[in-house]
Amino acid sequence: MSRIILPIAFALTVSGCMTYAPIETPPQKVAFSSQTARTNVDSFSTSAVRTIREEGKKKVEVKGAACKIRGTGYSARVVTPALVELPTYRGKTNPVNISCAAGGMSAAETVEPYNATLARIQSTQTSGGGLVGALAVAVAKGIAKSTRDPSKDEFAYRSEIALKLSESK
């Protein structure tokens, strides 16, 4: 029971801090700098790119910020809020740089990808079984990690990327 309640309570607490506007445009695609960069793509990770600013202690979403997205072998331009399909590669995916500007404010962030294969292994849970079940899960996770081929790992970017705008210098 508590396994269900705690994640829901956490999600409600986090979501209560900031509400975002719905994104009504389809996901934007990146432009590749070469055919090789496009050919090597394993999959696409869709992320919402948003811009926020602080008004006192409150965070407010800023709509209409112009953003440049630059990754290894690709780039894109979007206006926030926007969904963007970021390419990922098997075995290794590089960070992506995002910079945004609006109304004399700007922000830049380097967004690191995460290893989705390892995340799936770590999220394996047991539905019970006490200590024996926990040990079985730990052993299974250890085996999965040690027998996997890292060159085949899948990567992704976080689903929400919110850049905090501040006065441009």
Side-chain angles (χ1 to χ4, degrees):
M1 177 76 168
S2 66
R3 288 184 185 186
I4 295 171
I5 293 173
L6 288 176
I8 292 171
F10 178 75
L12 289 173
T13 302
V14 171
S15 66
C17 297
M18 179 76 200
T19 55
Y20 291 118
I23 300 174
E24 299 179 6
T25 58
Q28 305 288 313
K29 299 190 182 299
V30 299
F32 290 95
S33 59
S34 71
Q35 184 58 35
T36 304
R38 171 61 185 113
T39 302
N40 291 330
V41 172
D42 177 54
S43 64
F44 289 89
S45 177
T46 303
S47 297
V49 177
R50 300 178 182 276
T51 46
I52 59 172
R53 64 182 168 84
E54 288 185 352
E55 287 183 357
K57 293 183 180 183
K58 188 176 173 186
K59 292 180 181 177
V60 178
E61 184 170 14
V62 176
K63 296 179 186 178
C67 299
K68 295 177 189 174
I69 299 169
R70 291 190 187 107
T72 304
Y74 65 89
S75 63
R77 291 180 183 264
V78 298
V79 175
T80 62
L83 293 172
V84 64
E85 292 182 350
L86 299 171
T88 63
Y89 304 88
R90 279 216 191 247
K92 173 119 173 76
T93 295
N94 292 325
V96 62
N97 297 306
I98 303 175
S99 59
C100 300
M105 297 183 293
S106 62
E109 183 176 343
T110 299
V111 180
E112 296 285 337
Y114 67 90
N115 188 318
T117 300
L118 288 178
R120 278 193 300 276
I121 291 170
Q122 292 292 62
S123 70
T124 303
Q125 295 181 6
T126 179
S127 60
L131 182 58
V132 173
L135 287 173
V137 168
V139 169
K141 285 181 184 181
I143 291 170
K145 280 185 186 177
S146 66
T147 60
R148 82 178 210 289
D149 179 355
S151 69
K152 295 182 179 175
D153 283 0
E154 297 172 356
F155 288 83
Y157 293 95
R158 63 184 191 258
S159 60
E160 290 281 341
I161 301 169
L163 283 80
K164 183 178 163 187
L165 296 169
S166 59
E167 294 297 321
S168 297
K169 294 178 182 178

